[in-house]
């Protein structure tokens, strides 16, 4: 695959930083689910929003993860199966659920694998969107290089920035988590350019 998490220093993140990294990816992808839910009248974005609120608080150290199994169950109930929908939007909506599920799992038990898999998935969502939208089409038989696409470069830069900011903070503070959350929210625009505002 052309997308990889190997360049990111994910192995240097401690537990709260892992949770915050995954929260950032989930927050950044949330508009994809919100738009899918609105257009297809399926799923409840409020469940994903609640999950992220709890996860951000967990990263900040003001929320325990002891009851997160219930949140996992609620998330699964609202996770779309793309084969059941004609809309392409079901796919990035599923990816959003998978990212938040990884964050919930990591909150209950630290996991470098969850971070690496989520990083790759988030990049793959962008790559698949670029392919679907025709952005990779050229006049030749060869598709345009993925690495040259703005959305893909922006997602790589976003993940790098989140890692850099996390590694610059040894302990979580409410102020820092708020700043990171605002960065990931990106004025309500997702990593594939979706906005429901």
């Amino acid at each position: 695959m052309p997308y990889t998490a190997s360049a990111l220093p994910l192995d240097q993140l401690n537990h709260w930083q892992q949770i915050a990294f995954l929260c950032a990816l989930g927050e950044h992808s949330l508009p994809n689910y919100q738009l899918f839910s609105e257009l297809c009248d399926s799923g409840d974005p409020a469940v994903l929003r609640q999950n992220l609120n709890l996860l951000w608080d967990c990263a900040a150290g003001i929320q325990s993860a002891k009851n997160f199994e219930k949140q996992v169950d609620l998330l699964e109930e609202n996770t779309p199966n793309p084969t059941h929908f004609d809309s392409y939007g079901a796919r990035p909506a599923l990816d959003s659920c998978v990212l938040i599920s990884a964050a919930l799992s990591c909150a209950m038990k630290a996991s470098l694998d969850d971070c690496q898999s989520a990083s790759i998935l988030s990049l793959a969502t962008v790559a698949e969107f670029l392919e679907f939208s025709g952005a990779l089409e050229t006049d030749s038989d060869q598709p345009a290089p993925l690495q040259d696409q703005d959305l893909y470069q922006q997602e790589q830069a976003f993940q790098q920035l989140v890692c850099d900011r996390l590694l610059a903070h040894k302990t979580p503070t409410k102020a820092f988590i708020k700043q990171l959350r605002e960065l990931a929210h990106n004025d309500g625009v997702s990593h594939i350019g979706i906005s429901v505002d």
Side-chain angles (χ1 to χ4, degrees):
M1 284 187 177
Y3 19 88
T4 174
S6 60
L8 295 175
L10 297 175
D11 58 339
Q12 298 178 33
L13 301 179
N14 63 30
H15 192 194
W16 78 264
Q17 291 168 331
Q18 288 181 353
I19 299 169
F21 176 77
L22 291 167
C23 280
L25 297 188
E27 188 76 44
H28 206 39
S29 73
L30 184 60
N32 301 337
Y33 185 93
Q34 292 171 323
L35 183 62
F36 158 77
S37 178
E38 179 181 315
L39 295 179
C40 295
D41 193 25
S42 178
D44 185 0
V47 171
L48 278 69
R49 178 72 271 163
Q50 180 187 31
N51 283 339
L52 283 168
N53 291 344
L54 292 171
L55 284 161
W56 282 118
D57 286 347
C58 185
I62 58 177
Q63 166 72 44
S64 75
K66 66 178 183 179
N67 293 320
F68 276 12
E69 291 89 351
K70 294 180 180 178
Q71 299 303 320
V72 172
D73 291 341
L74 285 172
L75 181 61
E76 288 180 353
E77 292 172 5
N78 287 275
T79 298
N81 182 339
T83 63
H84 296 168
F85 297 90
D86 293 331
S87 169
Y88 163 79
R91 181 63 202 182
L94 168 63
D95 292 347
S96 183
C97 291
V98 173
L99 291 172
I100 296 173
S101 178
L104 289 167
S105 175
C106 184
M108 292 184 283
K109 184 178 180 181
S111 172
L112 174 60
D113 286 345
D114 280 339
C115 291
Q116 291 174 331
S117 297
S119 172
I120 292 170
L121 174 61
S122 195
L123 286 165
T125 304
V126 176
E128 289 172 3
F129 173 76
L130 289 169
E131 183 178 3
F132 171 78
S133 66
L136 301 182
E137 293 179 1
T138 66
D139 293 333
S140 69
D141 293 335
Q142 297 298 319
L146 187 59
Q147 299 287 347
D148 292 346
Q149 302 299 311
D150 287 345
L151 279 179
Y152 194 81
Q153 292 174 355
Q154 289 166 14
E155 176 61 16
Q156 288 179 312
F158 168 73
Q159 292 192 24
Q160 184 66 60
L161 180 59
V162 170
C163 275
D164 290 345
R165 291 195 178 184
L166 285 168
L167 290 172
H169 288 77
K170 300 303 180 185
T171 57
T173 64
K174 289 183 181 179
F176 171 67
I177 293 298
K178 181 180 179 181
Q179 291 173 0
L180 194 65
R181 185 171 181 166
E182 289 175 351
L183 172 69
H185 182 259
N186 193 36
D187 295 325
V189 179
S190 80
H191 58 331
I192 59 173
I194 297 297
S195 174
V196 292
D197 296 334

